[in-house]
Amino acid sequence: MKVLGIETSCDETAAAVVSADAGILSNLVFSQLEEHRPYGGVVPEIAARSHLDHLEGLIRGALDQAKVGFAELDAIAATAGPGLIGGVFVGVMTAKAMAAARHLPFIAVNHLEGHALTVRLSGEAAFPYLLLLVSGGHCQLAAVEGVGVYRHLGGTIDDAAGECFDKTAKLLNLGYPGGPAVEAAARGGNDRRFALPRPMIGRESLDFSFSGLKTAVRHRVVALAQPPAAQDVCDMAASFQGAVADVLADRCARGLARFRGDYGQAGPLVVAGGVAANTYLRTRLDKVARAAGTEMIAPPPKLCTDNAAMIAWAGLERLRLGLTDSLDFAPRPRWPLQEVRGPVGAATRRQNIEA
Ligand code: KG4
Ligand code: ZN
């Protein structure tokens, strides 16, 4: 079984082919970073046009590299939301056109589901697992019971973790995207130099909040000599990253305890999304999982940030269950993970209990 996947929901144009038994056959990502850099963030209109310019070439490249023709494909999957809608349209329309022309099933993949299932591509994570999804636009804890069966446990009430990394990087003149730059600067910094708040720690709910931390970073940075000295930048990056790690560690420890109560097993803890590429956070969350008697599983860093292999893989998992979509499926700018369609009759354990 082989699926072509397409990803165009933000500023990466990507195409990939994955196979059920051989894994990733090709995985091409074109980053639009240089096109957005002058604006310090992603400009939706520029992103949509750039997807249009690059997608066709990437699809050809992905098929060539995989040595697969349309005849050997079993389905075409594309991110159909959530994301910047102009870009999502480009990917979905392209996928639908190819599916119609080649008489192949079309699969509308939720981008978050792509992140949620990636660990099953790179290793063997069995259901159920506790998912921490941390990316530029999302931050949530969910119980993953199966393909299309997601139970929301907590989410951010303001900013996403990645967004916070990006804003901190901007304040420190570290450029865009901020995550990798903050991580690199933090390596040379003292994480105790600046005392920063750790919102939500100790709370019973599994929600997140990062706006107070973001504001505290801003206050501390403007109080520094301008431009800040190199050591100040490193110390702030390390102090900020340490605060985020403490918050994520606390939420995950609580999440694992809740998960054990609900499912009778401690984990595993799966960490996904762009922020999961951060080595320091991975190490911290690994310790949290071990302390809870389970393991942390995260995709290799290259598969944490946006790519099409994760979309092709989610498409393949859905295809195996017969979860294909009709060509009138409308792209969705907003599409929470827990609203993804599962197999007929599928309900989360909570819904089963309440029914
Ligand atoms: O999953 P992703 O590629 O796109 C979204 O779906 O949002 O995540 C991108 C986010 C950005 O905010 C980026 O700064 C962050 O992931 N990120 C990182 C690292 N690499 C990427 N954050 C912290 N440390 C990293 N090494
Ligand atoms: Zn993403």
Side-chain angles (χ1 to χ4, degrees):
M1 209 179 244
K2 293 187 184 71
V3 175
L4 168 69
I6 292 171
E7 160 60 37
T8 57
S9 68
C10 194
D11 60 342
E12 261 93 28
T13 316
V17 179
V18 304
S19 129
D21 21 73
I24 300 176
L25 301 182
S26 62
N27 186 19
L28 303 186
V29 181
F30 169 76
S31 168
Q32 305 174 1
L33 210 59
E34 293 312 320
E35 290 164 68
H36 299 285
R37 201 189 292 283
Y39 308 95
V42 180
V43 183
E45 180 67 12
I46 294 176
R49 283 168 193 272
S50 181
H51 288 307
L52 208 49
D53 289 343
H54 296 107
L55 185 56
E56 198 186 317
L58 285 163
I59 292 171
R60 277 179 209 281
L63 291 172
D64 285 351
Q65 205 173 310
K67 298 190 171 57
V68 165
F70 279 103
E72 291 132 280
L73 286 178
D74 295 281
I76 298 178
T79 297
L84 300 173
I85 198 65
V88 175
F89 260 104
V90 171
V92 166
M93 295 309 289
T94 306
K96 284 179 179 176
M98 291 187 298
R102 302 288 175 164
H103 305 291
L104 286 167
F106 162 71
I107 302 167
V109 172
N110 176 299
H111 180 87
L112 307 173
E113 181 172 47
H115 281 301
L117 299 176
T118 308
V119 278
R120 291 168 52 81
L121 163 62
S122 50
E124 254 321 295
F127 300 125
Y129 49 80
L130 177 67
L131 170 72
L132 171 69
L133 177 51
V134 269
S135 70
H138 299 271
C139 184
Q140 71 179 101
L141 275 167
V144 177
E145 296 186 10
V147 175
V149 192
Y150 308 104
R151 210 180 118 212
H152 181 81
L153 298 176
T156 182
I157 58 170
D158 40 57
D159 298 343
E163 197 180 338
C164 211
F165 267 92
D166 295 334
K167 285 181 178 154
T168 297
K170 206 168 175 175
L171 281 168
L172 295 173
N173 293 318
L174 289 172
Y176 174 84
V182 170
E183 180 176 11
R187 278 196 205 104
N190 171 3
D191 63 358
R192 288 163 196 267
R193 163 93 184 278
F194 298 99
L196 296 170
R198 278 133 171 88
M200 307 307 264
I201 282 195
R203 295 268 187 101
E204 192 55 44
S205 91
L206 294 176
D207 288 334
F208 301 80
S209 165
F210 291 103
S211 72
L213 173 58
K214 182 183 72 184
T215 308
V217 169
R218 195 175 63 235
H219 286 315
R220 304 304 291 263
V221 172
V222 295
L224 295 170
Q226 295 299 326
Q231 192 56 49
D232 290 349
V233 169
C234 292
D235 290 347
M236 181 55 81
S239 300
F240 162 77
Q241 186 174 262
V244 174
D246 284 351
V247 171
L248 296 181
D250 174 81
R251 307 287 74 201
C252 285
R254 255 168 214 277
L256 286 169
R258 172 94 63 89
F259 193 87
R260 186 198 293 271
D262 289 348
Y263 298 91
Q265 65 184 69
L269 171 65
V270 168
V271 186
V275 181
N278 186 295
T279 311
Y280 178 75
L281 293 176
R282 290 165 85 104
T283 310
R284 283 290 305 276
L285 296 174
D286 186 59
K287 283 191 190 134
V288 168
R290 281 167 198 270
T294 184
E295 56 172 341
M296 185 216 65
I297 313 173
K302 224 186 117 199
L303 293 179
C304 287
T305 47
D306 288 349
N307 63 84
M310 71 182 195
I311 302 305
W313 178 257
L316 197 149
E317 293 239 44
R318 296 185 69 79
L319 181 66
R320 286 202 281 227
L321 297 174
L323 294 169
T324 60
D325 294 279
S326 92
L327 292 182
D328 49 26
F329 186 99
R332 302 175 181 178
R334 200 188 144 275
W335 187 6
L337 185 59
Q338 61 274 22
E339 288 175 19
V340 169
R341 180 170 65 101
V344 178
T348 66
R349 218 169 123 130
R350 164 70 62 81
Q351 288 161 339
N352 280 328
I353 292 165
E354 283 167 2

